[in-house]
């Protein structure tokens, strides 16, 4: 029985040890990360964003930020560890070693007369004849009598003084760290124990695995349903217009799961009247168009109206139930649009190229949803060749404000950013009619808008020149600058109720053939990950070329320094096409800001493959020949749409021509592909 109790006392110690081994270092790591986390604000500081409450850290928001699943689990584990420590400490008090002198209240080495006096004194207090309490009787028999016997018997006392136990030297004992109920059971309790072990160790994990697999089988790694990807792939077209992207976007299975209620009919009708001008309905047959619109699936109608409510900032028409659906739609929008971009650039042709036009349309829709700007604002107007959408993302700006500054010959956002601070303040306060505080808000947002530059070079590793069929490596350094000095930041999004990080898409494409040769997502938030990726890429590239260790370390240090200064290294590979000169373009598109995208001309010269295997290099002295004509037949869909700022297509569908913008090839003689920036 004693051995069983000893084993049972070891079980909580075993559990405490198993919990402490991973929990203590993990907690220290979490605390270290929290202490070293940058406290510098990376979100917009304008009054509009402040009043939106998105970044206001109230006590409830602090509690909600802390009460994440991982934090609560960590706290629960520490509470359990505290309970175990208290329980083990309590057990240790109950299972103290047998100390006769302490029991009798004597000092070690006391004489026989002192022992007898102490025994008589304690007998008066605990003897059953003197004290009827059962606990006193138990203590007298198990402790006082035993201690007196151990000290009055010469052999027992000698053993205790030598070996610490009245019975002499004790042998080595081993215990099993299991609870007592697992060690002492009869036939009935054994069956219950067997069922418990089977249920906890076999059936419960199996049930959890089945539930997890049944749910995870519906989603991809980006938490987008497989059914959504299938629908996007089916409805994606190479000539998809930007205004038609909404029709594909709303077909997500996640949107179909949002319930359609009868109580939503009236507020949706009011919302339809408010956003009708943005629905691309034929005004000549407005009744027929309206009837056709309402005959769609109710979920499609609801989602399109909710999207237009965001674009036109008309969410005030929404009821409380529609407000929850509206927020759910906005929460899902970023990752659904990201998957839609991936579907657009997915290799479709025999050469492994994706589609450029729908990819640009998806990114433009993302910009409009995040900034709550209607798609119609991108249409070219008389005074604004690029539309007024770029201005409407600024705080306190509306169509009237844009018209006022247009009279001062400021028609684009870049022209406004190029002005001096004093000149811009004078323009906003005097010409646009903004107050000094409102002009300061505009200044803060202009300092947040990123400026992008792209440097691109294409080459065949270890070879001179690019020959047809080669695996070409593209090196692109994307550099971001802001007026306030930040690199990674959260954009100005007062009408988007969730935190949204900036993401950029780098596309290497042929705008004439509508082909995307290569695409990659770029982020400036995680500097540590960018440093690790750039260092690894540079090191592997240099090692493959047989460069020395010293040169490799120098190149890695230079790359790390560029990353810290706001650059990101993008590398991609593609197969060189047939012999010829190719006038490509790279597009660096932001999914959050309107008007900060960058288009870069890339010249690629592919040589004919040498039969003897020699890799002759033909130097390229300046821009490629202009006037290269390519005749292509492309199916065009009929649509009434604004013209994207990247669109080079002609409305009459005639033969298309492109001229390469003035660009100078890179100084690197080993690079046949080069790029120059273009607004």
């Amino acid at each position: 029985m004693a051995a069983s109790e000893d084993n049972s006392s070891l079980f909580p110690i075993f559990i405490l040890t198993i919990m402490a081994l991973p929990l203590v270092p993990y907690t220290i790591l979490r605390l270290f990360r929290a202490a070293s986390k940058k406290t510098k604000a990376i979100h917009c500081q304008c009054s509009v964003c402040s009043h939106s409450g998105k970044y206001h850290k109230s006590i409830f928001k602090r509690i909600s930020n802390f009460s994440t699943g991982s934090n609560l689990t960590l706290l629960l584990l520490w509470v359990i560890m505290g309970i175990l420590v208290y329980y083990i400490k309590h057990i240790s008090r109950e299972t103290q070693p047998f100390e006769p002198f302490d029991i009798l209240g004597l000092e070690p080495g006391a004489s026989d007369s002192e022992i007898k006096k102490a025994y008589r004194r304690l007998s008066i207090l605990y003897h059953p004849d003197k004290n009827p309490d059962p606990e006193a009787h138990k203590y007298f028999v198990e402790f006082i009598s035993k201690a007196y016997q151990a000290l009055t018997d010469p052999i027992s006392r000698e053993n205790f003084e030598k070996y610490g136990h009245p019975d002499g030297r004790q042998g080595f004992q081993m215990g099993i760290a299991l609870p007592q109920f697992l060690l002492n059971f009869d036939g009935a309790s054994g069956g219950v124990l067997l069922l418990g072990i089977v249920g906890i160790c076999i059936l419960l994990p199996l049930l959890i695995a089945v539930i997890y697999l049944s749910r995870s089988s519906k989603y991809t790694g980006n938490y987008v349903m497989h059914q959504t990807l299938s629908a996007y792939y089916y409805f994606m077209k190479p000539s998809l217009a930007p205004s038609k992207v909404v029709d594909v976007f709303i077909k997500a299975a996640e949107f179909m799961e949002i319930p359609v209620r009868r109580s939503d009919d009236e507020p949706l009708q009011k919302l339809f009247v408010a956003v009708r001008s943005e629905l691309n309905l034929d005004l000549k047959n407005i009744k027929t168009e309206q009837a056709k619109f309402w005959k769609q699936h109710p979920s499609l109608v609801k989602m399109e109206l909710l999207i237009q409510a965001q674009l036109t900032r008309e969410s005030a028409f929404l009821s409380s139930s529609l407000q929850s659906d509206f927020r759910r739609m906005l929460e899902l929008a970023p990752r659904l649009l990201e998957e839609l971009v991936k579907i657009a650039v997915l290799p479709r042709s025999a050469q492994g190229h994706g589609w450029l036009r729908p990819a640009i349309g998806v990114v433009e829709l993302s910009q409009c949803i995040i900034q709550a700007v209607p798609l119609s604002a991108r249409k070219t107007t008389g005074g604004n060749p690029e539309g007024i959408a770029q201005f409407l993302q600024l705080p306190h700006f509306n169509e009237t404000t844009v018209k006022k500054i247009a009279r001062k010959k400021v028609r684009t956002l870049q022209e406004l950013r190029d002005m001096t601070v004093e000149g811009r303040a004078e323009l906003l306060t005097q010409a646009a009619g903004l107050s000094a505080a409102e002009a300061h808000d505009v200044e803060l947002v202009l300092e947040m808008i990123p400026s992008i530059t792209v440097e691109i070079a294409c080459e065949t590793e270890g070879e001179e020149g690019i020959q047809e069929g080669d695996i070409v490596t593209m090196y692109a350094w994307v550099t971001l600058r802001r007026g306030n000095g930040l690199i990674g930041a959260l954009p100005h999004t007062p009408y988007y109720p969730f935190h949204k990080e900036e993401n950029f898409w780098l596309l290497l494409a042929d705008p004439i053939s509508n082909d995307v040769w290569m695409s990659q997502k770029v982020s400036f938030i995680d500097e540590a990950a960018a440093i690790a990726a750039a260092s690894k890429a540079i090191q592997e590239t240099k090692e493959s070329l047989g460069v020395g260790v010293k040169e490799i370390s120098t190149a890695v240090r230079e790359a790390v320094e560029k990353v810290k200064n706001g650059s990101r290294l993008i590398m991609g590979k593609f197969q060189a096409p047939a012999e010829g000169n190719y006038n490509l373009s790279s597009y660096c598109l932001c999914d959050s800001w309107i008007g900060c995208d960058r288009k870069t001309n890339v010249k690629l010269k592919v040589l004919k493959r040498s039969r003897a295997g020699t890799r002759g290099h033909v130097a390229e002295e300046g821009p490629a020949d202009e006037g290269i004509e390519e005749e292509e037949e492309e199916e065009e869909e009929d649509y009434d749409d604004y013209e994207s700022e990247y669109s080079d297509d002609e409305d009459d569908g005639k033969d298309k021509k492109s001229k390469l913008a003035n660009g100078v090839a890179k100084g690197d003689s080993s690079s046949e592909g080069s790029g120059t920036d273009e607004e």
Side-chain angles (χ1 to χ4, degrees), residues 512-549:
I512 305 301
S513 62
N514 194 37
D515 290 336
V516 175
W517 291 30
M518 198 209 70
S519 63
Q520 191 165 338
K521 182 180 173 183
V522 188
S523 176
F524 288 85
I525 296 294
D526 193 348
E527 182 182 280
I531 290 176
S535 302
K536 182 179 179 181
I538 294 296
Q539 183 175 357
E540 291 179 350
T541 302
K542 295 297 183 181
E543 287 178 352
S544 64
L545 297 176
V547 180
V549 177

Side-chain angles (χ1 to χ4, degrees), residues 268-526:
L268 287 178
Q269 289 283 355
K270 294 180 180 179
L271 181 60
F272 173 79
V273 175
V275 303
R276 181 168 51 187
S277 60
E278 297 291 331
L279 295 175
N280 294 322
L281 302 179
D282 187 3
L283 298 179
K284 298 180 180 178
N285 302 314
I286 188 64
K287 292 185 178 180
T288 305
E289 290 290 319
Q290 289 184 11
K292 183 179 179 182
F293 176 81
W294 288 104
K295 285 182 180 178
Q296 298 180 96
H297 192 282
S299 294
L300 299 179
V301 173
K302 181 177 180 177
M303 283 301 108
E304 185 165 2
L305 291 177
L306 291 181
I307 291 173
Q308 293 300 337
Q310 169 68 4
L311 297 178
T312 58
R313 304 177 184 178
E314 296 287 352
S315 58
F317 289 95
L318 304 179
S319 60
S320 58
S321 59
L322 280 178
Q323 283 286 353
S324 62
D325 298 338
F326 178 69
R327 289 180 60 87
R328 177 60 177 165
M329 180 273 297
L330 293 179
E331 184 181 10
L332 293 171
R335 64 173 177 261
L336 291 179
L337 289 168
E338 180 180 336
E339 292 301 318
L340 197 54
V341 174
K342 294 178 182 179
I343 293 295
V345 300
L346 196 67
R348 306 269 188 145
S349 64
Q351 294 78 21
H353 298 159
W355 295 330
L356 175 63
R357 184 174 178 82
I360 293 177
V362 174
V363 176
E364 290 178 350
L365 175 61
S366 175
Q367 296 171 355
C368 290
I369 289 178
I370 299 302
Q371 295 296 340
V373 173
L375 290 171
S376 60
R378 288 183 175 271
K379 291 181 179 179
T380 302
T381 60
N384 297 280
E386 299 179 0
I388 64 174
Q390 301 178 6
F391 290 106
L392 294 182
Q393 67 184 340
L394 300 178
H396 316 297
F397 263 67
N398 51 36
E399 294 185 14
T400 304
T401 310
V402 176
K403 291 179 181 179
K404 289 180 180 179
I405 66 173
R407 298 191 188 106
K408 300 297 182 179
K409 307 300 181 182
V410 179
R411 296 185 175 88
T412 65
L413 183 64
Q414 190 59 43
E415 291 177 353
L416 182 64
R417 298 177 65 185
D418 292 339
M419 297 177 65
T420 62
V421 177
E422 295 78 9
R424 189 161 50 236
E426 182 179 355
L427 174 70
L428 295 177
T429 54
Q430 297 183 8
L434 301 181
S435 65
E438 292 173 340
H440 179 65
D441 287 341
V442 175
E443 192 67 32
L444 291 176
V445 174
L446 290 176
E447 291 179 352
M448 288 289 293
I449 297 179
S451 297
I452 300 295
T453 56
V454 182
E455 299 177 3
I456 293 183
C458 297
E459 63 181 28
T460 302
E461 294 183 2
E463 302 289 348
E464 293 184 355
I466 299 175
Q467 295 187 3
E468 53 187 5
D470 285 349
I471 300 300
V472 182
T473 303
M474 184 200 76
Y475 300 89
W477 280 102
V478 182
T479 305
L480 183 145
R481 295 286 184 269
R482 301 183 202 271
N484 56 13
L486 291 176
I487 298 176
L490 301 178
H492 164 79
T493 56
Y495 297 96
Y496 188 77
F498 304 99
H499 287 255
K500 176 67 177 70
E501 294 182 358
E502 292 175 345
N503 290 309
F504 295 82
W505 286 94
L506 184 65
L507 309 178
L508 180 64
D510 186 350
I512 305 301
S513 62
N514 194 37
D515 290 336
V516 175
W517 291 30
M518 198 209 70
S519 63
Q520 191 165 338
K521 182 180 173 183
V522 188
S523 176
F524 288 85
I525 296 294
D526 193 348

Side-chain angles (χ1 to χ4, degrees), residues 102-148:
D102 292 340
I103 295 174
L104 297 178
L106 300 173
E107 294 293 333
S111 63
D112 293 340
S113 61
E114 292 175 342
I115 294 173
K116 292 178 181 180
K117 289 179 182 180
Y119 176 72
R120 285 195 294 269
R121 184 180 68 253
L122 293 175
S123 298
I124 296 173
L125 297 175
Y126 294 98
H127 195 276
D129 296 338
K130 304 293 183 179
N131 191 341
D133 187 2
E135 292 295 329
H137 176 257
K138 180 179 179 181
Y139 183 73
F140 180 81
V141 174
E142 295 183 0
F143 291 92
I144 298 176
S145 298
K146 188 176 180 180
Y148 177 74

